Amino acid sequence: MKINEKGHLEIGGADCVGLAECFGTPLYVFDEAYIRRMMGVYRDTIEREYAGNGLVLYASKAFACEAIYAIAKQEKIGVDVVSGGELYTALRAGFPAQKIVMHGNNKLPHEICEALDAKIALIVVDSPSEADLIEAEAKKRGMVQDVLLRINPGVEAHTHAYVQTATPDSKFGFSVASGAAEMMTGYLLSKPHLRLHGYHCHIGSQIFEKQSFVLAVEKNLAFMAEMKAKFGFEADALNMGGGFGIWYAEGDAMIGAEGYAEYLKALLSTVKAGCKALGLRLPFVYLEPGRSIVGEAGITLYTVGAVKDIPGVRKYAAVDGGMFENPRYALYQSRYTAVIANRAAEENTELISIAGKCCESGDLIGVDFNLPKVERGDILAVLSTGAYNYSMASNYNRNPIPPAVLVKNGEAEYIVKPQTYEDLVRNDVLPDRLK
Ligand code: LLP
């Protein structure tokens, strides 16, 4: 991103003010080059540091639409899906099933059938009854499904409690410490229509400490060695999850493509050293980054409407978006950086909180942004909104979900069209007796 000669913010060579004029606001904007660079960096690091014996899976819950699956396909990486809807979208975009891995703590019976019928690469098992369901459905189809077991290595990660996943009371995975992971290993090995390949763990999201990831991998390897001793089962796959943190605001590290490569390199070194020490063969590795691939690639453009100064309390600028298109402040008190895109070079003089247009006091994009004087009609850009914004959007207050555009070399095109009022009522039914 840069500021152009007009003093406007630019993303991927496109003027943000021009984008707002052309496509309207609110608008999600994605920089294609950034996404491709991040996918490529992870892919190439596995190639270089681990002889290509692994696959990056883009965690598509971060941002899913047909275009992103098409880009992942072109970049020759895999994807992780967590619902029938994500799987459907990926397949519709022509994504190869043999590079799809399915997650979820409560995969629905029909989602399991959809995954089996599509012949996806792996299902990551997260409950005993789910193992029974997959076994029964695979048997019906006369097939053997490749699976991983999601384990909980009990690694504390420093991030928001809602996005920690490897704490003792997590709903995800099977605890190594309690013996549940071992019990499940035996259980999966006893199923004739499941082929257990190894383990998956994901300790949480928006995590910066390399050490937490390294520790999780070490615990995973130690558990693999235990299972080899106990069952004679030597895992041939290890999925290290996602979770690398990104820059949102002052105080966050700006890791950059090379920095993420270093994170992955550290994990791969841990796998190599750990396997050597424990006498294990090197497993095929998976990494599941979501946020670090699309988060910093995206921004959201808004038009400022009402500006309200409550003397001695706070100054609000309300935008045409809100928690329906970015619920992250409401959910996690997340922080962001904002720029007035039409006066991006101006000095910051005010502390302003950005409110949405929903009928709730908690509907904020964030509090206390440093900005120049904000006025009605300004185009406000909120940065690092590429992950978990569009994907968590809703129609709250019957607001249409904004469109998304993909920018490449200064040119922008829709990858998600704007919803219309007609879309909002598409599934409404008005029974005759109510007319
Ligand atoms: N793998 C698994 C099994 C996951 O559960 C997740 C994220 C990922 C990979 C990708 O993690 P990432 O690289 O994106 O950190 N809505 C929250 C984030 C929820 C993350 C859920 N799982 C937010 O807006 O911060």
Side-chain angles (χ1 to χ4, degrees):
M1 301 191 67
K2 64 170 201 176
I3 299 172
N4 67 19
E5 65 290 349
K6 291 185 195 151
H8 295 175
L9 187 69
E10 249 184 46
I11 176 167
D15 184 313
C16 289
V17 179
L19 289 173
E21 275 165 11
C22 184
F23 296 97
T25 59
L27 181 69
Y28 300 110
V29 185
F30 287 85
D31 178 355
E32 183 172 340
Y34 189 100
I35 294 171
R36 287 189 187 274
R37 185 158 66 246
M38 284 308 304
M39 288 178 174
V41 150
Y42 288 131
R43 179 198 59 218
D44 295 346
T45 304
I46 290 181
E47 195 59 47
R48 206 174 48 237
E49 305 293 331
Y50 203 72
N53 190 28
L55 186 66
V56 182
L57 305 169
Y58 164 61
S60 60
K61 76 204 78 175
F63 173 57
C65 66
E66 289 186 56
I68 194 84
Y69 291 111
I71 294 175
K73 178 183 172 185
Q74 285 182 352
E75 292 298 329
K76 299 190 166 33
I77 66 167
V79 298
D80 119 32
V81 299
V82 290
S83 68
E86 284 183 0
L87 175 61
Y88 176 82
T89 311
L91 295 173
R92 215 178 111 107
F95 198 85
Q98 67 277 14
K99 282 188 178 174
I100 300 179
V101 173
M102 182 178 261
H103 277 291
N105 69 303
N106 183 28
K107 300 173 197 74
L108 305 177
H110 73 80
E111 292 175 324
I112 288 171
C113 292
E114 287 152 19
L116 292 172
D117 291 337
K119 301 200 164 44
I120 69 165
L122 286 167
I123 299 180
V124 183
V125 176
D126 203 356
S127 76
S129 59
E130 177 186 309
D132 297 343
L133 270 173
I134 305 171
E135 168 70 19
E137 292 297 338
K139 186 175 177 191
K140 252 191 237 168
R141 289 164 175 77
M143 61 191 275
V144 175
Q145 176 62 45
D146 294 319
V147 298
L148 298 182
L149 175 66
R150 178 160 183 169
I151 65 166
N152 177 348
V155 173
E156 193 196 327
H158 295 116
T159 185
H160 192 285
Y162 287 6
V163 291
Q164 279 184 8
T165 51
T167 55
D169 74 350
S170 173
K171 71 169 181 172
F172 297 107
F174 291 91
S175 156
V176 168
S178 74
E182 176 182 323
M183 183 275 293
M184 273 305 289
T185 298
Y187 193 59
L188 293 180
L189 289 172
S190 76
K191 301 274 182 194
H193 296 89
L194 302 184
R195 190 183 296 114
L196 179 64
H197 281 272
Y199 301 97
H200 164 271
C201 82
H202 169 79
I203 57 173
S205 197
Q206 186 58 9
I207 297 165
F208 286 102
E209 306 106 55
K210 213 181 269 176
Q211 207 41 41
S212 302
F213 295 110
V214 167
L215 190 62
V217 168
E218 282 171 351
K219 290 201 173 196
N220 228 316
L221 295 171
F223 178 69
M224 278 162 56
E226 269 178 51
M227 294 307 96
K228 185 180 171 188
K230 170 98 191 178
F231 297 105
F233 165 66
E234 189 163 4
D236 58 25
L238 171 64
N239 184 329
M240 307 182 288
F244 297 160
I246 65 164
W247 176 89
Y248 282 103
E250 208 180 322
D252 291 336
M254 269 191 185
I255 295 180
E258 289 315 311
Y260 290 110
E262 288 302 315
Y263 269 70
L264 176 52
K265 214 171 135 183
L267 297 188
L268 296 174
S269 306
T270 308
V271 174
K272 286 186 275 188
C275 285
K276 197 165 176 202
L278 295 162
L280 296 171
R281 64 166 176 246
L282 284 180
F284 189 85
V285 294
Y286 295 94
L287 184 80
E288 292 172 337
R291 194 191 306 268
S292 55
I293 289 180
V294 289
E296 289 182 45
I299 65 170
T300 308
L301 298 178
Y302 301 100
T303 301
V304 174
V307 178
K308 193 176 282 179
D309 197 358
I310 312 172
V313 181
R314 183 180 292 286
K315 188 166 180 180
Y316 284 109
V319 293
D320 47 1
M323 64 195 293
F324 64 96
E325 51 74 34
N326 181 359
R328 297 191 69 258
Y329 182 82
L331 282 169
Y332 324 111
Q333 301 78 48
S334 51
R335 299 170 317 125
Y336 284 102
T337 299
V339 178
I340 298 183
N342 48 307
R343 291 184 280 120
E346 264 182 39
E347 219 177 295
N348 295 333
T349 51
E350 300 200 327
L351 208 55
I352 297 176
S353 295
I354 301 171
K357 67 183 286 290
C358 294
C359 296
E360 303 219 9
S361 304
D363 169 34
L364 301 171
I365 300 297
V367 294
D368 297 340
F369 289 90
N370 284 306
L371 287 169
K373 193 170 167 13
V374 180
E375 285 163 7
R376 180 177 277 276
D378 278 334
I379 302 299
L380 190 88
V382 175
L383 312 187
S384 294
T385 58
Y388 305 110
N389 277 227
Y390 172 75
S391 66
M392 292 203 295
S394 75
N395 286 123
Y396 186 46
N397 288 174
R398 289 246 143 169
N399 284 300
I401 294 175
V405 295
L406 189 65
V407 173
K408 189 185 177 192
N409 299 330
E411 300 291 325
E413 59 193 328
Y414 278 130
I415 49 172
V416 179
K417 282 191 302 192
Q419 273 190 346
T420 61
Y421 288 152
E422 188 54 37
D423 292 327
L424 296 177
V425 295
R426 192 171 307 283
N427 295 334
D428 286 8
V429 177
L430 190 55
D432 278 343
R433 65 190 177 78
L434 297 180
K435 279 178 190 156

